[in-house]
Amino acid sequence: MITKTTFNKKQFKSEVEANVRTLFRRTLEDATPQQIYQAVAYAVKDEIIDNWIDTHKAYEKQDKKMVYYMSMEFLMGRALGNNMINLTCYEGVREALEEMGLDLNVIEDQEPDAALGNGGLGRLAACFLDSLATLGYPAYGCGIRYRYGMFKQKIKDGYQVETPDNWLKDGNPFEIKRDEYAVEVKFGGYVDVENGADGKPKFVQKGYKSVRAVPYDMPIVGYGNRIVNTLRIWDAEAINTFNLDSFDKGEYQKAVEQANLARTICEVLYPNDNHMAGKELRLKQQYFFISASVQRAVQKYKETHDDIRKLYEKVAFQLNDTHPTVAVAELMRILVDEEGLEWNEAWEITTKTCAYTNHTIMAEALEKWPIELFSRLLPRVYQIIEEINRRFVIEIQANYPNDQEKVRSMAILYDGQVRMAHLAIAGSYSVNGVARLHTEILKKRELKDFYDMMPYKFNNKTNGITQRRFLLHGNPLLAGWVTDKIGDDWITDLSHLAKLKVYVDDEKCQQEFMNIKYQNKVRLAKYIKKHNGIDVDPRSIFDCQVKRLHEYKRQLLNILHVMHLYNQIKEHPEMDIVPRTFIFGAKAAAGYYTAKLTIKLINAVAERINNDMSINGKIKVVFIEDYRVSNAELIFAAADVSEQISTASKEASGTGNMKFMLNGAVTIGTMDGANVEIVEEVGGDNAFIFGLSADEVMEFERNKNYYPADIYNNNEDVRKVMTQLVNGYYSPENPELFRALYDALMQKDMYFTLRDFDSYKEAQQRVDAAYRDERTWARMAMLQTASCGKFSSDRTIEEYVRDIWKLEKVELPPHK
C-alpha cells in the first residue's frame, strides 16, 4: 500500500534553518552550498528516523525471517534525492527550498556519490536493497565503510590517473555509528587445542592481532510504505589505539601498530593485488566484514531466540559473488567453537542458511587464495575449511568412485589453493546465476561437475534494476510523461509499462517522447561542455558505452570501429552519415595495464577526431571522466544507442543494458547475458544484434581454431585500423604506444574483437539507416521503455523471496 508522506513545509523550512545554525553556527545567507546540503540532508533524515525505528520494532515484534545481503560493494549513488523520492516528499522539499531561495538541483550536486562500490555487482546490490525495502521484506545489506572507495578517476593527457575519493571529508549525514554493536575480528596467530569444561577439545586462537569492527548504519527507504531497512557498513578501529609503553621505549612503530592495521583494512575498495601484500589486504577485508556481519547476526538472533539450531528459520545469508563466501566457514567456526555444536549439526545449519550468487563466467573472478596466505592469516578458519574439504571429497568419491579427475575439478583445496566458489557451492543450499544464458553456461560448462552432482541447488534469477532511481529520479521528464499516460502504478510495478504499447504508433506521442529525449540530450551536452570542454550536437545520435573497462566488454571493438568510420569520412568527405557522438565512460582497475591503455587510445582518437575541422563535426568522441551513478543517470536518459557488445558467453547479465532500455535507448549488442532476454521482450526487429553466438565462441575456444591473423590478412578495413595502432597515427610522439593492444589482437584476440568487427560495422550501418526514419526510430525507442517491465529488481527480489529466502512481508500502519 502506497502511503504518501504528510509533508509539513513550514516545519521543514524551520528545521533546515535550525540545522544551519546548530551544525555550522551560520545563518542561511552565510552558509556554503555544502553546509546547506548538510542541513537539508539532516532535515530529511528527521523525516526517516521514526519510520526506521518503527520498522525494526515491527520486525522484532512479528519475528520475521531476515536476509543479510553480503556484498563487497554497494554502489549506492547519492542518497538525498533517492530518499526524498521514496519518502514521496521530493516535490514538497523542492517547493519549500524554492520559497527559501534555494535550488534543489544545486543542493543535490553537493553530495558526493558514496564510494562504496565500483561496477555492476555493487549497483545490483544497491537496487536489491531498494526493492527489498519497497516490497516490505526484512533485510540488512552488509559491507565495508571504505574511506576512499576504489578511486576518483582523473584523465590527464588521455591517461587514467587514480586519486583518493575522499567522499567522507565533510561527513555523511545519513549514517549513524552503532558503537554498541562493535565486535572483535582476529587475524593471524596459531590455534591451540585445550580441554573444554565438558571434556571435549576446545580450539583456541592465540598470538593473534585483532581489530574492532564498528558498524555504521545507513537508512534504505522503501517507496511510500514507511519501511526503512538498513545498509550496515563496517569500519575498523584499533582495540587499543596507542601503546604508551612501546612509545616510551622508543618503539614508535609498534606503538601505533594496531591503529595502522585497522586503518588499512577500510582504506580502499579492491586494493591492487598484483603483489602479495595486496592479496593479503583483500583477504583481510573479506574476512573482516564477513566475520563482523556473521557474529552480529548470530548475536541478534540469540537476543530473541533460545535454540541456535533453528537459526536458518529466521536468518538467510545471501553471498553476492565469491568475495563473501568465507561466511560458510565463519558460521561453522561460531557454531562449533563458540556455540559448542557437533560438526554435523553445525553443517546442517550452515547449509540451510547460506545461499550463493555467481556473477561471472570469467575464471579470474572465481577467487582462489594461496593456502600459505590463507592458513597464516586465518588459521582456525583454514582448519575448518580443511575439514569441510575432507568430507566433501569423500562425498565426491562416493558419487564418482575412482575418478580422481572429479576430485581435482571439484575439491575446495587443491594445487596449493583455497577455491572459494567451490566452498560456496558445497556450503550453500542455493546457487544462482544472474541471467538465463549465464545460468545455462554455469550448468553446462563452468560448474558442470557441481551441477551434475547437485542439480537441485542450481537456479536462475535474472538481474533487474530499480525504476525509482533510474527513471523516477534520473529522468523526471520521461517519468512525468509515463505517469500522464498510464498513471503512477509503474513506480512499484514496472509491468504496467506495457500499457504504453498502445501509444507507440501515435505520431503526437512519438513527438512528445522524442522531444523529452532531445531535452535530456541537451542536459548531457551541457555536462560534457562543462566537464570536457567539447561541443556536441544534441541532434546527433548519442551512442553510449558506459561500464567497467574490461577486455571482454570490448570497448576496444567500439573505438576500432570509430577509427574505421573516421577513415571512411576522410577518404570520402561527401559521405552521407547521420552525425554521431560516441560517448564512453569507464574506470579501469589500477593494475590492469591493457584496460588503462584502452582508455588512452579512446582519448587519443577523441583528440584527433574532435580537432579535425575537415570532417564538419560528423563524428565526435567523448570520454566522461569518473563514471559513477550520478552522471550515469544523465547518460542513460540521453542515450539513443546502448552499446552492449561483450563477447558472447562472457557477460553474466549486465544491468546497464536494462537502464538504457528503460530510458528508451535501442540496443546494439551480442546475444550475451541479459541481452538475450531483452531481445525476447522488445522483439528482434527493435535491436541491432551482431557477432558470434555464445555457442560459436565456446566452440572456437574448445577447438582452438581461431586465427586473428587470417582476419587481418583478408580484411582491408581491419588491416588499416590495426596499422594505425602502431604507425603513430594516434600517437605521433610514440608510435609504439599502443603496441600491446596490437599484439594482443594479432596473437590471440581472446575476445574475438577482429572476428566480430565486420558484423559490428554492418550493425552500425543499420543503426544509421534506422535513425533516418524519424517515426520508425521513435517507435523503436518507445518500445524499449514499454517492454522493460520484466527488468525491475522488484521482480528479481520476489523470485529470490519465493525460491530461496522464504521471507514474509511486513506492513506498517500509517504514521500517526
Side-chain angles (χ1 to χ4, degrees):
M1 187 177 75
I2 303 301
T3 308
K4 298 284 182 183
T5 298
T6 307
F7 181 70
N8 187 322
K9 202 189 292 184
K10 184 179 176 185
Q11 183 182 329
F12 183 82
K13 291 195 307 196
S14 68
E15 277 185 23
V16 171
E17 288 176 344
N19 287 345
V20 170
R21 280 200 311 279
T22 55
L23 291 169
F24 305 111
R25 207 203 62 183
R26 295 235 169 147
T27 65
L28 207 55
E29 293 71 34
D30 301 329
T32 66
Q34 174 61 217
Q35 289 169 343
I36 291 170
Y37 154 70
Q38 296 267 343
V40 171
Y42 276 108
V44 170
K45 187 178 179 182
D46 281 348
E47 300 280 329
I48 294 169
I49 287 292
D50 285 346
N51 291 346
W52 203 358
I53 292 169
D54 289 349
T55 298
H56 285 268
K57 280 187 175 168
Y59 289 166
E60 286 166 23
K61 185 178 176 185
Q62 297 173 36
D63 196 22
K64 300 290 191 184
K65 187 177 184 181
M66 176 83 69
V67 64
Y68 292 83
Y69 195 85
M70 299 186 176
S71 181
M72 200 75 181
E73 299 183 39
F74 289 91
L75 192 59
M76 302 304 293
R78 293 168 174 167
L80 178 60
N82 205 68
N83 286 340
M84 291 188 301
I85 274 181
N86 284 6
L87 286 168
T88 68
C89 68
Y90 193 89
E91 288 309 316
V93 171
R94 182 191 291 285
E95 288 170 18
L97 293 172
E98 279 174 3
E99 289 170 15
M100 300 168 79
L102 300 170
D103 183 339
L104 179 54
N105 292 333
V106 172
I107 291 168
E108 282 195 67
D109 280 343
Q110 297 306 307
E111 181 182 3
D113 284 48
L116 301 172
N118 169 48
L121 182 86
R123 185 53 233 175
L124 182 81
C127 286
F128 278 7
L129 294 187
D130 179 272
S131 289
L132 280 158
T134 295
L135 295 167
Y137 291 117
Y140 274 91
C142 302
I144 296 178
R145 185 177 181 261
Y146 302 104
R147 291 191 191 93
Y148 301 109
M150 194 160 88
F151 55 79
K152 200 176 191 72
Q153 183 191 54
K154 301 280 187 195
I155 301 297
K156 290 186 179 167
D157 301 322
Y159 289 97
Q160 169 179 292
V161 177
E162 301 91 22
T163 63
D165 187 352
N166 194 4
W167 71 288
L168 288 168
K169 73 179 170 63
D170 295 306
N172 176 6
F174 286 107
E175 72 181 10
I176 297 175
K177 185 177 182 180
R178 307 303 300 271
D179 213 87
E180 67 272 31
Y181 298 137
V183 296
E184 185 180 11
V185 178
K186 300 172 183 177
F187 300 102
Y190 60 95
V191 179
D192 206 2
V193 184
E194 300 177 352
N195 281 324
D198 55 0
K200 293 178 185 173
K202 186 174 172 60
F203 296 87
V204 182
Q205 194 170 341
K206 294 183 175 178
Y208 57 82
K209 292 176 181 170
S210 63
V211 297
R212 188 166 175 268
V214 182
Y216 286 72
D217 288 354
M218 291 170 63
I220 304 296
V221 181
Y223 182 83
N225 64 355
R226 296 195 57 232
I227 297 289
V228 182
N229 281 338
T230 302
L231 169 59
R232 175 159 286 173
I233 47 177
W234 295 89
D235 203 349
E237 293 180 0
I239 300 283
N240 300 306
T241 41
F242 190 70
N243 186 327
L244 187 59
D245 185 50
S246 295
F247 190 84
D248 286 343
K249 289 177 183 171
E251 298 170 344
Y252 305 125
Q253 189 60 39
K254 196 174 177 186
V256 293
E257 203 171 58
Q258 279 198 344
N260 289 340
L261 170 63
R263 190 178 301 115
T264 55
I265 285 175
C266 296
E267 211 99 88
V268 296
L269 166 66
Y270 299 141
N272 190 344
D273 63 351
N274 290 353
H275 41 72
M276 188 52 81
K279 281 187 172 62
E280 182 169 328
L281 180 52
R282 280 203 187 197
L283 182 54
K284 272 183 188 164
Q285 287 183 328
Q286 292 178 15
Y287 182 67
F288 164 76
F289 95 90
I290 286 302
S291 178
S293 300
V294 175
Q295 284 186 64
R296 179 57 204 145
V298 171
Q299 286 170 8
K300 185 175 172 63
Y301 170 82
K302 287 173 69 179
E303 285 163 10
T304 51
H305 301 86
D306 297 327
D307 189 355
I308 193 68
R309 290 167 182 79
K310 294 182 178 176
L311 177 76
Y312 61 86
E313 292 180 3
K314 297 298 176 186
V315 171
F317 292 155
Q318 188 67 38
L319 313 178
N320 192 30
D321 217 7
T322 49
H323 314 116
T325 53
V326 72
V328 171
E330 177 64 4
L331 181 55
M332 285 295 291
R333 183 191 70 77
I334 290 169
L335 294 175
V336 172
D337 292 358
E338 296 180 11
E339 298 301 323
L341 297 189
E342 297 292 342
W343 182 276
N344 288 342
E345 284 181 306
W347 186 243
E348 183 185 356
I349 295 162
T350 297
T351 53
K352 287 180 173 178
T353 303
C354 295
Y356 164 55
T357 300
N358 175 285
H359 276 279
T360 184
I361 298 156
M362 308 300 292
E364 72 209 43
L366 295 173
E367 285 184 307
K368 303 174 185 72
W369 296 108
I371 285 177
E372 180 279 320
L373 167 64
F374 198 102
S375 59
R376 173 169 52 81
L377 198 64
L378 307 174
R380 179 59 183 145
V381 171
Y382 177 71
Q383 285 182 343
I384 286 167
I385 291 175
E386 275 193 320
E387 181 61 14
I388 293 171
N389 179 68
R390 186 185 72 79
R391 291 170 183 244
F392 187 53
V393 167
I394 290 169
E395 203 182 322
I396 297 166
Q397 289 168 334
N399 279 278
Y400 304 104
N402 306 315
D403 191 342
Q404 187 56 30
E405 185 55 32
K406 290 287 186 193
V407 173
R408 188 198 65 75
S409 81
M410 296 174 74
I412 298 161
L413 300 176
Y414 207 87
D415 255 356
Q417 292 182 316
V418 186
R419 303 195 284 199
M420 300 307 285
H422 297 197
L423 175 65
I425 297 165
S428 296
Y429 65 92
S430 166
V431 177
N432 74 280
V434 291
R436 196 175 63 235
L437 174 65
H438 168 233
T439 302
E440 289 307 307
I441 291 171
L442 292 180
K443 287 173 5 183
K444 291 176 183 170
R445 192 178 71 164
E446 297 304 313
L447 302 176
K448 181 180 187 303
D449 289 338
F450 292 94
Y451 176 69
D452 288 347
M453 187 167 126
M454 306 175 269
Y456 53 89
K457 288 191 179 189
F458 284 75
N459 60 94
N460 177 60
K461 299 287 170 278
T462 297
N463 283 342
I465 59 170
T466 170
Q467 63 270 27
R468 292 165 291 278
R469 164 72 73 173
F470 292 106
L471 184 51
L472 190 57
H473 183 264
N475 193 344
L477 294 176
L478 183 56
W481 182 85
V482 170
T483 297
D484 285 346
K485 291 285 180 279
I486 63 169
D488 66 0
D489 287 345
W490 63 270
I491 298 171
T492 52
D493 182 353
L494 200 62
S495 66
H496 283 271
L497 288 186
K499 295 175 184 174
L500 290 172
K501 289 182 180 176
V502 299
Y503 299 107
V504 299
D505 291 305
D506 182 301
E507 192 168 357
K508 180 171 177 289
C509 292
Q510 289 179 348
Q511 288 169 354
E512 290 168 354
F513 190 92
M514 294 312 291
N515 181 49
I516 288 167
K517 178 65 73 177
Y518 178 77
Q519 289 180 65
N520 286 323
K521 289 166 79 172
V522 169
R523 180 176 70 160
L524 181 58
K526 286 176 181 170
Y527 180 93
I528 290 168
K529 178 65 175 173
K530 180 180 176 183
H531 291 87
N532 294 69
I534 300 168
D535 290 302
V536 299
D537 182 1
R539 288 178 297 274
S540 65
I541 298 173
F542 277 20
D543 181 320
C544 303
Q545 187 177 18
V546 289
K547 54 184 74 231
R548 184 167 61 89
L549 210 143
H550 194 290
E551 287 161 274
Y552 84 81
K553 293 178 185 286
R554 299 202 295 192
Q555 285 92 346
L556 189 55
L557 174 60
N558 189 342
I559 199 64
L560 288 174
H561 171 258
V562 174
M563 291 160 60
H564 162 71
L565 201 54
Y566 180 54
N567 290 339
Q568 293 292 100
I569 295 168
K570 293 296 281 182
E571 288 166 22
H572 310 284
E574 75 293 346
M575 183 175 157
D576 177 28
I577 68 161
V578 180
R580 183 124 28 148
T581 302
F582 295 95
I583 297 168
F584 294 83
K587 286 182 176 179
Y592 192 172
Y593 175 75
T594 306
K596 292 175 82 168
L597 192 59
T598 304
I599 289 175
K600 173 60 177 171
L601 175 63
I602 292 166
N603 284 304
V605 173
E607 180 74 15
R608 182 168 186 120
I609 288 176
N610 297 342
N611 291 300
D612 186 342
M613 298 300 115
S614 73
I615 64 170
N616 296 320
K618 283 182 177 174
I619 55 174
K620 291 273 180 84
V621 180
V622 176
F623 188 94
I624 297 207
E625 184 180 75
D626 202 35
Y627 176 60
R628 57 197 185 279
V629 176
S630 53
N631 57 23
E633 291 179 35
L634 305 180
I635 297 165
F636 295 135
D640 293 305
V641 175
S642 161
E643 295 269 357
Q644 307 301 329
I645 60 176
S646 55
T647 310
S649 81
K650 302 303 178 195
E651 185 72 84
S653 167
T655 51
N657 45 9
M658 302 168 190
K659 293 158 198 164
F660 279 117
M661 181 190 191
L662 180 62
N663 284 276
V666 184
T667 299
I668 181 169
T670 52
M671 287 300 262
D672 196 24
N675 291 357
V676 176
E677 291 164 74
I678 285 174
V679 171
E680 278 178 12
E681 295 298 308
V682 81
D685 293 343
N686 299 301
F688 300 95
I689 300 303
F690 73 93
L692 295 171
S693 69
D695 286 340
E696 288 168 333
V697 167
M698 291 188 283
E699 187 72 13
F700 272 126
E701 289 172 335
R702 221 174 3 257
N703 298 331
K704 297 182 169 53
N705 60 346
Y706 166 54
Y707 307 105
D710 291 348
I711 311 271
Y712 177 88
N713 290 330
N714 295 313
N715 188 318
E716 189 182 342
D717 294 337
V718 166
R719 203 158 55 245
K720 182 157 189 178
V721 293
M722 288 291 288
T723 302
Q724 287 172 334
L725 286 178
V726 288
N727 69 1
Y729 192 72
Y730 290 104
S731 55
E733 72 294 340
N734 178 9
E736 289 291 299
L737 180 60
F738 301 115
R739 170 68 65 179
L741 298 179
Y742 176 92
D743 288 347
L745 291 171
M746 286 297 288
Q747 288 163 17
K748 273 192 180 172
D749 191 16
M750 248 175 98
Y751 298 108
F752 301 89
T753 300
L754 302 186
R755 181 69 173 71
D756 277 350
F757 182 89
D758 263 4
S759 179
Y760 180 56
K761 180 179 75 175
E762 183 271 329
Q764 287 286 18
Q765 289 163 354
R766 284 186 279 137
V767 170
D768 183 277
Y771 196 82
R772 292 167 189 267
D773 184 333
E774 289 182 15
R775 291 207 60 187
T776 297
W777 188 270
R779 184 178 190 279
M780 285 175 76
M782 290 171 76
L783 274 170
Q784 308 301 317
T785 303
S787 305
C788 201
K790 174 180 176 176
F791 300 108
S792 171
S793 48
D794 298 345
R795 185 265 317 152
T796 314
I797 287 298
E798 290 287 20
E799 291 179 4
Y800 274 94
V801 167
R802 182 191 70 207
D803 300 338
I804 302 175
W805 302 330
K806 314 295 185 189
L807 305 179
E808 294 178 74
K809 292 190 180 193
V810 171
E811 285 191 8
L812 294 184
H815 197 49
K816 291 169 188 160

